Amino acid sequence: MKELKNLIRTIPDFPKKGILFRDITPILQDGNAFKKVITIFKKETPKDIKKVVAIESRGFIFGASLAYLLGIGFVPIRKSGKLPWKKVRIDYDLEYGTDTIEIHEDAIEKGEKVVLIDDLLATGGTALASVKLIEKCGGIVEKILFLVELTDLNGREKLKNYDVFSLIKF
Amino acid sequence: MKELKNLIRTIPDFPKKGILFRDITPILQDGNAFKKVITIFKKETPKDIKKVVAIESRGFIFGASLAYLLGIGFVPIRKSGKLPWKKVRIDYDLEYGTDTIEIHEDAIEKGEKVVLIDDLLATGGTALASVKLIEKCGGIVEKILFLVELTDLNGREKLKNYDVFSLIKF
């Protein structure tokens, strides 16, 4: 996907010094590029998937569009304190400290097959926590989709028990 | 839209005492309901719109799906510090204190017609700030779409110079 990769804007020292940030907004604001991305994600989605689960907040952009295209439900995973109803939650380690993500307990039915989607695979910490959260609800993660993978950070290793697809690699 | 309205879950005292929170996640996780919402938003979108602009983060869910369906670009408006590139920003008043939202300065071209979309019209403060932000970039807000409108809070009055559509009213 060379043309799509060329649309990614690389920004040095964001959000902090030493980090090369991969800015995906040029893909989003190009209607053809955005459509191509969602179409490819559809092709990568296994049959008999019942829900698309996405991680706040850039994951919502891809996850909701994919759910719309497939005609299936969309489930948000959010940071702590954002979801209003009965929740399942999980804490996970960051480089410094911990973070918490949550999902509504009625969002996924037991045995339901889902895809998980986010914009970026970096260390894989948030994605692995999301997988565990879905499994706590009784869901089955059939595939994990990312727009961008930062291969040096080895997130794929952390997700090695799952079927992972990324569209653009750096 | 009675069936859609019936899917909204009302949660008392969230996020704080005295507030009735309208939870839209039951619509999202129902593939048919979600599809119906996006289809209606498409019908409400004027011709010759070039971009869909959405407000973080629940707005992304509807905005991205609508942009996909229309085959046009998607532009995120985000809280301060989230967007990595050159930005236009605006401060606006909240009930207590102020908040800041930002947009990439290259996201909208001068004279470009856009729709603005969010999940909820409450007091209209965030929506009005978003309109001003788009206008600072030279964009023209042809229509503003909401899933839910809380009519008691009079947000529509604040947006009276614009064409506002809401799908579900409380």
Side-chain angles (χ1 to χ4, degrees):
Chain A
M1 278 301 114
K2 193 151 184 318
E3 323 107 271
L4 288 175
K5 190 171 184 173
N6 289 341
L7 281 174
I8 302 250
R9 182 159 53 190
T10 297
I11 297 165
D13 299 324
F14 185 89
K16 54 186 185 182
K17 215 168 160 62
I19 294 187
L20 277 184
F21 189 89
R22 307 296 182 173
D23 175 20
I24 63 167
T25 62
I27 288 182
L28 303 178
Q29 70 202 44
D30 177 331
N32 291 326
F34 183 53
K35 195 143 199 156
K36 184 179 281 183
V37 166
I38 303 302
T39 307
I40 293 168
F41 281 153
K42 182 188 176 191
K43 214 163 23 174
E44 290 294 330
T45 301
K47 305 292 162 229
D48 69 359
I49 292 294
K50 299 296 181 218
K51 301 262 172 68
V52 177
V53 185
I55 302 169
E56 182 174 13
S57 62
R58 280 189 299 259
F60 290 2
I61 298 168
F62 303 99
S65 305
L66 180 61
Y68 171 82
L69 180 56
L70 295 169
I72 62 180
F74 171 79
V75 174
I77 287 180
R78 302 203 67 180
K79 304 290 163 58
S80 186
K82 301 283 192 74
L83 289 171
W85 185 240
K86 293 175 189 163
K87 289 166 279 195
V88 179
R89 51 190 284 148
I90 192 166
D91 303 315
Y92 63 103
D93 291 329
L94 298 174
E95 199 183 348
Y96 304 101
T98 66
D99 211 344
T100 303
I101 50 174
E102 300 179 329
I103 195 168
H104 273 158
E105 66 172 33
D106 67 348
I108 297 170
E109 289 167 45
K110 217 175 140 88
E112 217 166 38
K113 292 179 179 172
V114 309
V115 287
L116 175 66
I117 190 164
D118 203 1
D119 66 321
L120 181 74
L121 174 57
T123 66
T126 307
L128 184 61
S130 300
V131 166
K132 287 181 184 168
L133 200 54
I134 293 166
E135 291 175 347
K136 267 179 141 180
C137 298
I140 300 162
V141 178
E142 288 280 289
K143 189 129 184 185
I144 312 177
L145 305 171
F146 298 98
L147 180 63
V148 174
E149 177 177 1
L150 307 179
T151 55
D152 282 358
L153 297 178
N154 252 323
R156 197 176 273 270
E157 173 64 20
K158 205 172 272 175
L159 301 171
K160 63 171 181 255
N161 296 326
Y162 298 90
D163 186 0
V164 173
F165 169 80
S166 67
L167 215 163
I168 299 166
K169 291 176 179 61
F170 285 98
Chain B
M1 277 301 117
K2 194 152 184 317
E3 323 106 270
L4 288 175
K5 190 170 183 174
N6 289 340
L7 281 173
I8 302 247
R9 183 160 50 191
T10 297
I11 296 164
D13 299 324
F14 186 89
K16 55 187 183 178
K17 214 167 162 58
I19 294 187
L20 276 185
F21 190 89
R22 306 297 182 173
D23 176 20
I24 64 168
T25 60
I27 288 183
L28 303 178
Q29 69 202 43
D30 177 332
N32 291 326
F34 183 52
K35 195 144 201 158
K36 184 179 285 183
V37 166
I38 303 302
T39 307
I40 294 168
F41 282 152
K42 182 188 176 191
K43 216 164 17 170
E44 291 293 330
T45 301
K47 306 292 162 228
D48 68 358
I49 292 295
K50 299 296 182 221
K51 300 265 172 66
V52 177
V53 185
I55 302 170
E56 181 172 18
S57 61
R58 280 188 300 258
F60 290 3
I61 296 168
F62 303 99
S65 304
L66 180 62
Y68 171 82
L69 179 56
L70 296 169
I72 62 181
F74 171 80
V75 174
I77 287 181
R78 303 202 67 181
K79 306 288 164 58
S80 185
K82 300 285 192 72
L83 288 171
W85 185 239
K86 292 174 190 164
K87 287 165 283 197
V88 180
R89 50 189 286 146
I90 192 167
D91 303 315
Y92 63 103
D93 291 329
L94 298 175
E95 199 184 349
Y96 305 102
T98 66
D99 211 346
T100 303
I101 50 174
E102 300 179 330
I103 195 169
H104 273 158
E105 66 171 33
D106 67 348
I108 295 170
E109 289 167 45
K110 217 176 139 86
E112 217 165 42
K113 292 180 180 171
V114 309
V115 288
L116 175 66
I117 190 165
D118 203 0
D119 66 323
L120 181 74
L121 174 58
T123 67
T126 307
L128 185 62
S130 299
V131 166
K132 289 182 183 165
L133 200 55
I134 291 166
E135 291 174 348
K136 267 180 139 179
C137 298
I140 299 161
V141 178
E142 289 280 289
K143 188 130 184 182
I144 312 177
L145 305 171
F146 297 98
L147 179 62
V148 174
E149 177 178 1
L150 307 180
T151 55
D152 283 357
L153 297 178
N154 252 323
R156 196 176 274 267
E157 173 63 21
K158 203 171 272 173
L159 301 171
K160 63 173 180 259
N161 296 327
Y162 299 91
D163 186 0
V164 172
F165 169 81
S166 67
L167 215 163
I168 299 166
K169 292 174 178 64
F170 284 99

